[in-house]
Amino acid sequence: MRFDEAFFDRIIDRRNTDCEKWDDRGVMDPDGIPLWVADMDFACAPPIVEAIRKRAEHPCFGYTIDNPADDEALIGFWRRRHGLEIQPGEITMLPCVVTGLKACVRALTQPGDSVAIVTPVYGPFYGSIKSNGRIVRAVSLKRDEETGRYDLDFGAMQKALQEGAKLVMLCSPHNPASRLWKKEELTRLCELAEEYGVPMVCDEIHADFVYAPGKFVSILSIPEGRNRAVMLCSASKTFNVAGLQQAAMVCMNPDLLEKLRKELNAAGVMCGNTFALLAARAAYTQGDDWLDGLIAYLDGTRKLLADWVAAYVPKAKMSPIEATYLAWLDMRAYGLTCEEMARKCRKAKVALTGGTFFGEEGEGFMRVNFACPRSQLKEGIKRLGAALEEQ
Ligand SMILES: Cc1ncc(COP(=O)(O)O)c(C=O)c1O
């Protein structure tokens, strides 16, 4: 099968499949266009469907044992795609990355500790800290108002560590700023964490969505990171099977790993979902051509999106997209709050993610998920523009 434009241009009706993105009536009517929840409106790689179908034909779905093939599939994928060497003993399977974020907060800090996060950032970073009785220490990204590009603020991170932050959590590549962190930036962050003796958590769930000439660098490929970082990744995000739930935690430091496994064990987090593991194995071993086709499609879409935003939402400013399939739009020129924009969008039958989901710095911003057929995206952006112009 060819994973070309025609494959990804195909409209698939996902309504009435208990699909959060399409079926959440609290957010959008049935004829709305969803550009919000971060999954993709594309068919997944055929080997995944085949693996699930084959297994479903067997009528017994009892307990699953760990199969070394699952670790090997993940190891092979990360070696091939990112040049990272992982050993089987360093991997812990998880149902999802958010479980990993929470387990890290619980295992690596104490109640009342502060945790440094680089903001604005994916909402559950805040939730994983607050819901466990820890304190969010927001370290704001520096925004270049001219270009909309964001940079790490190392001075502010150092201040947070000086003031006692006990853990650093980073999203890499960054959601929602669409930044691909460079090796030098990650190295500097790791050196700071080393200076203050704190562990790090690096959510690398968007590692595979990177556009040329950029090249993803894992925190675990940096010497200072290998010893103090926990990396979280997920087959379900890369291969668009989030409903199956399959993620992994990779930790190369035995002391941190022991604490994390103890925490997961105490919470009863086990990972033995038959379908999810098989799907991930098929994806990691037979999904490369689908993934290459996907990235080529998204790369083309990212360029078109810039044109459509300029044409239909002219007062919006889009941050440069180096990675992820998420675009961060500065809508402040429209003079509306996120809540007001959401109301107008609902009326115009389009749904985006409001910037405040990513923290208070997101007020007046919106995030667009552009991983959908281009015709759908273009219509959604047109509706967004019309919504904002309406008095
Ligand atoms: C940065 C980031 N981390 C984690 C997640 C959620 O991952 P999971 O479904 O594996 O918990 C998302 C989903 O959009 C995300 O963008």
Side-chain angles (χ1 to χ4, degrees), residues 9 297 300-314 316 318 370 372-382 384-385:
D9 271 339
Y297 187 81
T301 306
R302 148 184 100 117
K303 290 164 191 151
L304 290 169
L305 177 61
D307 295 343
W308 295 334
V309 168
Y312 302 118
V313 201
M318 189 167 93
F370 62 86
C372 63
R374 289 173 186 162
S375 57
Q376 180 182 313
L377 178 67
K378 188 174 181 186
E379 175 59 22
I381 298 300
K382 275 187 186 174
L384 172 66

Side-chain angles (χ1 to χ4, degrees), residues 38 96-99 101 122 125 171 175 203 205-206 234 236-237 247:
C96 68
V97 163
V98 172
T99 307
L101 291 174
Y122 178 62
F125 273 58
C171 187
N175 172 13
D203 176 345
I205 195 167
H206 294 287
S234 131
S236 43
K237 180 68 77 185

Side-chain angles (χ1 to χ4, degrees), residues 80-145:
R80 232 173 30 251
R81 311 272 322 181
H82 303 300
L84 183 69
E85 285 299 332
I86 300 171
Q87 301 304 318
E90 296 162 349
I91 303 169
T92 308
M93 295 298 181
L94 294 174
C96 68
V97 163
V98 172
T99 307
L101 291 174
K102 293 186 177 189
C104 287
V105 168
R106 291 177 66 87
L108 307 180
T109 64
Q110 299 296 319
D113 282 351
S114 71
V115 178
I117 55 173
V118 173
T119 61
V121 72
Y122 178 62
F125 273 58
Y126 297 86
S128 63
I129 298 167
K130 289 182 187 168
S131 66
N132 285 301
R134 276 69 165 173
I135 295 157
V136 171
R137 181 66 157 89
V139 176
S140 297
L141 285 164
K142 288 191 289 194
R143 179 182 162 85
D144 179 334
E145 291 295 345

